[in-house]
Amino acid sequence: MTAYQQVATKLFLYILLVPITMSNSWSSTGSNQDTASYLDSKADNADKCIDDSKPAVSSCSSAEDSLCTDDGPVASSSNAVVLYRPTALHAFRQETKKYSFVKTELVIKQKWEDIGVAAVVWDAAVVLAEYLEKNSEEFSLRGKRVVELGAGTGLVSMVAALLGAKVIATDRKLALQFLQENIQDNFPCIKDENGLCEQDDKRISVKELDWGQNHKQFHPIFDYIVGADIVYIEETFEHLLETMLHLTSSSRKSRILLSCRIRYERDERFLKMMSNHFVVKEIHHDDKRDIKIYVGDRER
């Protein structure tokens, strides 16, 4: 891994590694420096499980409920740093994942080492895709205009398109090329005599959207604004909400569908922020994967 990728990996682990409790050897007045050092050591050890340049640790090859360390996986206990279930770092290293939706096989590429969190399939995306297919009568997408925020690998956008929607899959600039590749691999367009994609075959288009920055370039014409596991960095909350408000500003029928794993109290705070402007309801809870789906209807 490059130095940048290692920093990004540590940031990702800081977000997901919970709960953190002090071992009995630490005093109740332990310093912040001690805590930071402890987290650094755990992040470095976890990094060994996902760095191709380092020897594989066989005991960490399947660590859904554990964190890789030099001595093997850390068990889930009151004195251990544990990952929220069912997150498994080893799963992010799979080059491809296969799914079947709407009688169609989708092959999704992943590039965890190269791009990071935007290039892996998260449980929240799978749960939302499943929900949309199973509830296609209640949330009919045929002929509807859908925009996905933080689309990542594009799984939810692809399923929405298979269900008949006209979709814009969005993400930040760093992830766009990879997102486009995944969509192109699964949705090869119909080509004209010149070998160019026919314009009316664009069931999914890919566009850059940096929340709170260029969101006003998007006309608020969408029936559904969807997002999977996009609520986890508090510094982005105001920009995300601003973007949602803009995208739903011109239609009383615009709806937001968010699929989330609530990891921290701050994630709950975003839902409260959102409820100041939308009527927010939990409509589904996948107990096994601990994923909740919320619908938000704009208050007028």
Side-chain angles (χ1 to χ4, degrees), residues 259-272:
S259 181
C260 311
R261 174 177 286 131
I262 303 299
R263 298 181 175 91
Y264 293 100
E265 288 185 11
R266 62 171 177 258
D267 301 342
E268 294 279 5
R269 286 199 293 273
F270 176 78
L271 295 175
K272 291 179 181 178

Side-chain angles (χ1 to χ4, degrees), residues 209-259:
L209 175 51
D210 195 349
W211 306 336
Q213 303 300 316
N214 69 327
H215 58 285
K216 291 187 177 179
Q217 295 176 12
F218 290 75
H219 296 298
I221 58 173
F222 301 102
D223 299 291
Y224 289 98
I225 295 89
V226 300
D229 224 345
I230 60 175
V231 178
Y232 60 94
I233 299 178
E234 191 167 17
E235 288 74 16
T236 67
F237 287 177
E238 288 188 8
H239 294 314
L240 175 56
L241 182 58
E242 182 182 356
T243 300
M244 289 178 172
L245 288 170
H246 170 71
L247 294 175
T248 59
S249 62
S250 67
S251 174
R252 291 179 178 273
K253 296 182 179 180
S254 296
R255 308 191 82 182
I256 293 175
L257 286 172
L258 284 182
S259 181

